[in-house]
């Protein structure tokens, strides 16, 4: 054995001895480790796969941290409510996870939607009732769960509001819109003596009423006419029927009334703009608003389509129903109570004696139309 070979062999021996000294199990462990290696490699991509999952989980966790609020709109197919809904969605963004439901004008369906939202763990409810008398059933469901409820747009009775300490209302003072609409009628009637077409000093009017039993419809009908009478203008009601807040129904009624009364009608009063727009379409089809064939029409809401008609001179005026602020107040209150805070916490809203926030109306004519345009931007 030459020296070199001896050195190599002895070095190897030392190495083996050293290795086995350090780790007696090493020789047997080695293959196991080798087997484990590919497993570990396989595990690696799995771990990588887990990484994006964890990233995905992050925003979900953030969302889960936002309070969950259950909303219903009595029907999406309502011009004005579509603006309230938009305001709700804008104001809730980044602050609440909202469950939004179209109750399709069906109270039974809305009650089921409330059950579903409760089972999904909402922390508060914001309800635009289908039927204003439907509040008690919903209050009962909420009360069983200790859930706070904010009603909006369709005001429950004072009795229902008083039956549960954790319910509130966001809307308006309905009478105010009737008084303001009445004032527009008074001002324009006095400024245009030729609108009394038969010259009898009496205002012959037709009235398109909203949903019967809806506090806004009842109050607008009562106060618009009362304001005119109180201003010393004698009136005669030629027709009064419900157009259910709806444009198509408004047009159908106006078609029938025009066929029956023609120019004996001297003023068209509509509880909302959608019906006023329907009436205008009917009048246009009969040649009104061309030449000197004219008929005064007045609405409520001051929705963008109505503002266009005011500018064109086919709508005398409207009353701004502030969808933007009603949507905002609804979110503010529903969010606060979902978090267990005072409903008005951090807001400028105030509650009246029936726990209602009442967003003010504003009469709109060509003079101040910019205010309404700004509000519906
Ligand atoms: C609005 C109507 C709307 C109704 C729905 C009223 O305040 O003026 O346009 O159809 O609310 O409940
Ligand atoms: Ca007359």
């Amino acid at each position: 054995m030459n020296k070199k070979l001896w050195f190599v062999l002895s070095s190897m021996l030392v190495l083996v001895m050293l290795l086995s000294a350090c780790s007696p199990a090493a020789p047997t462990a080695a293959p196991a480790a080798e087997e484990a290696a590919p497993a570990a490699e396989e595990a690696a991509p799995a771990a990588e796969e887990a990484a994006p999952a964890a990233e995905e989980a992050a925003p979900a966790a953030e969302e889960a941290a936002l309070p969950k609020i259950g909303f219903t709109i009595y029907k999406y197919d309502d011009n004005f409510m579509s603006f309230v809904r938009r305001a709700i969605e804008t104001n809730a963004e980044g602050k609440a996870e909202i469950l939004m439901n179209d109750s399709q004008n069906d109270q039974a369906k809305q009650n089921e939607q409330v059950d579903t939202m409760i089972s999904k763990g909402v922390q508060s409810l914001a309800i635009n009732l289908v039927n204003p008398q439907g509040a008690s059933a919903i209050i009962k469901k909420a009360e069983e769960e200790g859930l706070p409820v904010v009603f909006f747009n369709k005001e429950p009775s004072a009795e229902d509001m008083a039956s549960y300490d954790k319910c509130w209302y966001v809307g308006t003072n309905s009478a105010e819109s009737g008084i303001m609409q009445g004032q527009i009628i008074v001002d324009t009637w006095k400024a245009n003596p030729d609108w009394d077409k038969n010259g009898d000093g009496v205002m012959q009017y037709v009235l398109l009423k909203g949903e019967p039993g809806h506090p806004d419809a009842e109050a607008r009908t009562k106060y618009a006419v009362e304001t005119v009478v109180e201003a010393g203008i004698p009136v005669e009601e030629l027709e009064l029927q419900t157009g259910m807040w709806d444009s198509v129904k408004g047009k159908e009624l106006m078609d029938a009334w025009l066929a029956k009364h023609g120019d004996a009608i001297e003023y068209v009063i509509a509880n909302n703009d959608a019906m006023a727009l329907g009436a205008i379409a009917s009048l246009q089809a009969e040649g009104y608003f061309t030449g000197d064939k004219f008929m005064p029409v007045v609405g409520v809401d001051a929705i963008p389509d109505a503002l266009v008609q005011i500018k064109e001179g086919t709508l005398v005026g409207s009353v701004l129903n502030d969808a933007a602020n009603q949507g905002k107040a609804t979110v503010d209150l529903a969010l606060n109570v979902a978090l267990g805070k005072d409903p008005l916490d951090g807001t400028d809203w105030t509650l009246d004696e029936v726990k209602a926030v009442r967003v003010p109306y504003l009469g709109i004519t060509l003079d101040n139309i910019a205010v309404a345009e700004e509000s519906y931007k």
Side-chain angles (χ1 to χ4, degrees):
M1 202 178 277
N2 67 31
K3 259 188 190 170
K4 235 184 200 167
L5 185 60
W6 168 248
F7 178 75
V8 170
L9 285 173
S10 60
S11 312
M12 281 174 78
L13 187 71
V14 169
L15 200 64
V16 166
M17 280 164 66
L18 273 174
L19 280 172
S20 55
C22 292
S23 155
T28 44
E34 265 161 41
E35 267 164 37
E41 267 162 38
E42 270 163 33
E48 267 162 38
E49 266 163 36
E55 268 162 38
E56 269 162 33
E62 259 167 45
E63 249 170 52
L66 294 177
K68 211 188 256 189
I69 308 177
F71 286 83
T72 63
I73 300 290
Y74 93 96
K75 60 170 188 173
Y76 279 6
D77 184 22
D78 176 294
N79 305 40
F80 173 73
M81 290 315 298
S82 67
F83 292 100
V84 176
R85 175 156 63 104
R86 198 181 68 182
I88 287 170
E89 284 163 350
T90 310
N91 283 285
E93 220 171 296
K95 292 188 205 151
E97 184 193 338
I98 64 172
L99 309 184
M100 185 63 83
N101 292 271
D102 178 1
S103 301
Q104 294 171 20
N105 212 18
D106 180 343
Q107 189 61 58
K109 175 168 272 164
Q110 181 167 85
N111 292 357
E112 281 167 25
Q113 290 168 337
V114 167
D115 290 336
T116 305
M117 292 191 290
I118 290 175
S119 71
K120 286 186 177 168
V122 294
Q123 287 151 264
S124 68
L125 291 166
I127 304 296
N128 175 212
L129 291 163
V130 172
N131 182 339
Q133 281 79 49
S136 58
I138 288 175
I139 287 175
K140 194 165 167 277
K141 290 175 191 292
E143 198 169 11
E144 277 166 14
E145 307 290 327
L147 261 188
V149 193
V150 178
F151 292 101
F152 61 103
N153 172 261
K154 291 205 197 181
E155 186 169 1
S157 69
E159 196 190 340
D160 284 338
M161 289 302 295
S163 73
Y164 184 37
D165 60 337
K166 283 192 199 165
C167 77
W168 295 270
Y169 176 68
V170 172
T172 60
N173 176 348
S174 306
E176 194 179 276
S177 53
I179 294 166
M180 288 177 175
Q181 188 185 50
Q183 201 52 55
I184 293 173
I185 300 170
V186 170
D187 294 345
T188 53
W189 181 261
K190 286 188 172 165
N192 296 279
D194 55 324
W195 288 4
D196 179 13
K197 284 178 277 200
N198 64 357
D200 66 352
V202 178
M203 179 197 293
Q204 278 80 18
Y205 70 88
V206 295
L207 194 147
L208 288 161
K209 187 176 174 178
E211 178 194 351
H214 189 310
D216 288 349
E218 299 301 336
R220 287 173 194 169
T221 300
K222 176 171 188 273
Y223 288 100
V225 176
E226 225 174 79
T227 303
V228 175
V229 172
E230 276 169 16
I233 301 167
V235 299
E236 183 189 349
E237 180 187 289
L238 297 183
E239 299 285 349
L240 186 156
Q241 275 190 59
T242 177
M244 294 302 287
W245 302 122
D246 184 76
S247 229
V248 174
K249 293 203 176 75
K251 179 174 183 305
E252 284 167 5
L253 285 172
M254 196 66 217
D255 286 346
W257 295 345
L258 269 180
K260 189 169 161 195
H261 303 282
D263 256 343
I265 303 170
E266 294 176 339
Y267 221 115
V268 180
I269 306 170
N271 275 178
N272 78 344
D273 286 345
M275 295 186 294
L277 294 171
I280 288 171
S282 169
L283 287 160
Q284 275 168 332
E286 287 302 310
Y288 283 84
F289 312 116
T290 52
D292 27 325
K293 217 166 146 63
F294 180 77
M295 179 80 77
V297 181
V298 66
V300 175
D301 286 339
I303 53 173
D305 284 351
L307 302 180
V308 171
Q309 300 301 325
I310 292 176
K311 283 182 167 168
E312 286 180 2
T314 51
L315 187 65
V316 164
S318 187
V319 178
L320 175 65
N321 196 0
D322 190 342
N325 274 310
Q326 289 172 55
K328 182 176 191 311
T330 303
V331 171
D332 286 347
L333 268 71
L335 184 60
N336 274 334
V337 297
L339 296 169
K341 295 185 192 169
D342 182 275
L344 303 180
D345 193 85
T347 75
D348 292 331
W349 308 117
T350 55
L351 291 173
D352 69 5
E353 68 288 351
V354 291
K355 299 177 289 172
V357 169
R358 304 206 184 262
V359 176
Y361 284 106
L362 180 68
I364 298 291
T365 56
L366 201 52
D367 302 337
N368 63 348
I369 200 162
V371 184
E373 284 172 334
E374 191 56 40
S375 164
Y376 273 98
K377 248 181 196 155

